Amino acid sequence: MKAKVSRKAHFNAAHRLYRKDWSFEENERIFGKCNNPEFHGHNYELIVSVTGEIDPETGFVIDVKVLKDLIKSEIEDAFDHKNLNVQVPEFKNLNPTAENIAMVIWNKLRPHFNAKDALEVVLYETPRNFVTYIG
Ligand code: NI
């Protein structure tokens, strides 16, 4: 009797895709406009899902209020209206691609859930481009 419970969230953030150990030309070749040294922003849409057994007593897999509050405290408060490269410690030495942002979100949330439950993070960087991270 498993179910997947999902919660949508949103944050705006700026980033730049580049490697410090590559030349500007090499960064330009691989990351193109995303290598803009003055950064650029995205409206990120986030869907966090928890899959697990339905508790026969409550009828919940997880209380969505708990999920909502966790996303707010762990992700929105840390990322919203921030420059990811400069202001979020996890990206000091990690390129803030959609893949890596989804991974960081997953790692920040994972300890808060029941170990038996599966966690899935879907991150939309644009309405058409999105990444799924499942650990
Ligand atoms: Ni970008």
Side-chain angles (χ1 to χ4, degrees):
M1 294 256 292
K2 284 195 169 188
K4 177 158 113 173
V5 176
S6 302
R7 168 84 191 171
K8 284 187 180 177
H10 173 84
F11 59 91
N12 300 314
H15 73 169
R16 175 191 179 190
L17 300 185
Y18 75 113
R19 290 190 62 96
K20 291 169 192 167
D21 57 337
W22 287 0
S23 68
F24 187 84
E25 290 68 29
E26 184 69 352
N27 276 304
E28 201 75 352
R29 194 174 69 77
I30 300 296
F31 299 117
K33 284 196 295 187
C34 294
N35 177 43
N36 176 4
E38 301 301 329
F39 305 95
H40 66 276
H42 291 282
N43 293 313
Y44 290 98
E45 296 287 345
L46 175 64
I47 304 169
V48 177
S49 302
V50 177
T51 303
E53 292 289 333
I54 302 173
D55 183 318
E57 217 165 35
T58 60
F60 292 160
V61 170
I62 183 172
D63 183 343
V64 276
K65 173 77 164 61
V66 171
L67 190 53
K68 175 185 179 224
D69 291 348
L70 267 172
I71 294 169
K72 167 84 170 71
S73 61
E74 295 294 320
I75 311 303
E76 292 174 37
D77 289 354
F79 292 3
D80 191 35
H81 285 74
K82 298 284 172 65
N83 180 319
L84 297 177
N85 302 74
V86 175
Q87 296 178 285
V88 178
E90 284 86 351
F91 301 108
K92 270 274 179 281
N93 294 300
L94 182 68
N95 212 9
T97 60
E99 290 88 331
N100 282 337
I101 299 168
M103 178 184 68
V104 166
I105 292 170
W106 191 95
N107 286 337
K108 284 167 76 81
L109 294 175
R110 179 68 265 189
H112 298 280
F113 299 112
N114 193 322
K116 289 183 298 185
D117 294 347
L119 176 63
E120 180 187 288
V121 168
V122 177
L123 184 71
Y124 283 77
E125 192 168 68
T126 73
R128 292 171 192 273
N129 299 340
F130 59 99
V131 165
T132 302
Y133 190 84
I134 55 170

